[in-house]
Amino acid sequence: MSELKVSQVIAAEWRHICRDRRLFLILFFVPVMYLFLFGSLYTHHKVTEMTTIVMDEDQSPLSRQIVQAFDESESFQVTMEARSEQEVEQAIASGAAKVGIFIPSRFEASLKQGHTLPLLTWVDGSNMLYSNSATKGANEVITTFSMGLSAKKLQLQQGLQDEQVAGVLSPIPFRYRVLYNPTFNYSDFMMYGLLGAILQQVLFLGISLTVTREKDGGTWSRFAVWRRDPWRIAYAKTVPYFIINVFNTTVAMLIACYVFKAPLSGSLLAGLAVVLCFTFAVCGIGYLISLFSGNQLGATQIAMLIAVPSFLLSGFTWPFEAMPKALQVLGDLLPLTYFLDGVRSVFIKAGDYSAILQDCLALGMMGLVTFFIAMLLTRFVVFRKEAGNAEAVPAEAPGTVSAIPAGASSASVPGTGSLPG
């Protein structure tokens, strides 16, 4: 026997990489694809056009100029007006607005009398990118506006030059109130996001191998007897993973809340509803991946291609408003987007069932669509080759053994033998 050489092994490995098209694409194409994906994600460099609700009690020309200054800023987009603080807080709690602006009554009159009333901004602190950008942007808008207003006033009344004006300016004071995370606690912001990403990845890995494991083991054809009832296969193959993920998520949430003191402000039942819908959606996508894939390696690779960018495209670490439109659409197709939005609404914002209704509907629709496609494929495509043979065999559920004539061993009867349960 000739001695094995290192160069031969290296050459064989290169041949394998070049022949395996999926592996070749993962090694050479995926890193570049992810670079373009993540690079495009941050093309705007900052959070812009945060939806803003205004409560203007002054209703003066000056207050309207301030509102216009906010609307013209690239950081804010004024979309609503409110008549009470409760209305502002409800808009922020529901996600309809990220920032609230309050202009007190007699604001212009007090300013003319030499007194300055502070402006107030409410900020959604459940996402620290919003809170940091909103406080910085509001400070810039108010400072710029007040400087221009004071400079014009001094130049008209006292005839001061620009250099003299700069030495005596006093900006309009403003205060901000950060809702849901007033201490800017980073763990409150990131804990649930990372937890959701981990749970999704684990479930994707488990569910995406459920069919390919049968294919690799040569036992997938036994399910051909259920091809007219494809829901049986989907149900039997996904229920264990559904139960496991619900258990894992419940335990992980309890540990996050009671060990690491993550916020738990809302209803546990509402949170459970989000978990159930999320698990259903991921099971549907994972089962479809497993049905399409030829082996376990291929299923794992596809599952990871979906799971890896999900966290960044979910809008959790980088807001949708600052993403290109194409990436916003891609993020809307990922289950983690709605799961994290629902978890944030319940556990951080103390929202009720109405706050998670859209998230649950989106997740439920994802699960229904993917399972429906998988069942159509199972019924008309997957077992097409086995259809002719299966018609001649009595329909038996997987895991059963045909009756063997007395005196005959299972090895002597063609086509019989024990099947895994």
Side-chain angles (χ1 to χ4, degrees), residues 139-378:
N139 187 33
E140 291 176 352
V141 171
I142 294 173
T143 300
T144 302
F145 182 84
S146 62
M147 289 293 183
L149 181 67
S150 300
K152 183 177 180 181
K153 180 179 178 181
L154 289 172
Q155 287 173 336
L156 291 176
Q157 293 182 352
Q158 303 180 22
L160 298 180
Q161 301 299 317
D162 291 341
E163 295 79 6
Q164 297 170 309
V165 169
V168 294
L169 287 180
S170 56
I172 297 173
F174 95 99
R175 299 170 184 168
Y176 60 86
R177 181 187 302 169
V178 180
L179 304 177
Y180 316 120
N181 189 8
T183 60
F184 290 96
N185 190 327
Y186 200 75
S187 64
D188 288 357
F189 166 56
M190 288 298 294
M191 182 72 72
Y192 289 126
L194 293 173
L195 180 60
I198 293 169
L199 290 170
Q200 176 186 257
Q201 187 162 338
V202 170
L203 182 56
F204 260 143
L205 279 175
I207 200 73
S208 62
L209 301 179
T210 183
V211 172
T212 52
R213 184 177 63 251
E214 302 280 354
K215 293 178 181 178
D216 288 348
T219 57
W220 174 239
S221 59
R222 65 183 176 145
F223 291 98
V225 296
W226 281 349
R227 70 189 183 283
R228 296 187 184 278
D229 298 306
W231 65 269
R232 292 175 179 268
I233 307 175
Y235 180 77
K237 299 300 280 182
T238 58
V239 160
Y241 298 96
F242 186 93
I243 296 173
I244 290 171
N245 190 72
V246 171
F247 173 77
N248 286 342
T249 304
T250 303
V251 172
M253 292 289 187
L254 291 175
I255 292 175
C257 294
Y258 294 106
V259 177
F260 297 104
K261 307 302 179 184
L264 179 59
S265 304
S267 168
L268 285 175
L269 292 178
L272 180 61
V274 177
V275 171
L276 293 175
C277 293
F278 171 69
T279 304
F280 177 65
V282 176
C283 282
I285 297 172
Y287 181 70
L288 187 59
I289 291 172
S290 190
L291 206 60
F292 265 117
S293 303
N295 52 54
Q296 295 185 61
L297 177 60
T300 303
Q301 292 168 344
I302 295 174
M304 289 302 96
L305 287 176
I306 297 175
V308 168
S310 290
F311 186 55
L312 292 176
L313 295 177
S314 66
F316 196 87
T317 60
W318 191 248
F320 275 107
E321 290 84 348
M323 292 183 191
K325 293 297 182 181
L327 294 185
Q328 291 183 31
V329 173
L330 185 58
D332 286 334
L333 298 176
L334 299 172
L336 189 63
T337 299
Y338 302 97
F339 174 68
L340 294 183
D341 183 70
V343 167
R344 192 163 46 211
S345 297
V346 172
F347 293 143
I348 299 180
K349 294 184 177 181
D352 54 13
Y353 290 99
S354 61
I356 62 171
L357 179 61
Q358 291 186 346
D359 297 316
C360 289
L361 287 176
L363 290 169
M365 187 60 65
M366 285 184 186
L368 288 174
V369 169
T370 50
F371 272 119
F372 180 71
I373 294 173
M375 289 180 191
L376 287 179
L377 290 173
T378 305

Side-chain angles (χ1 to χ4, degrees), residues 47 131 230 234:
V47 181
S131 56

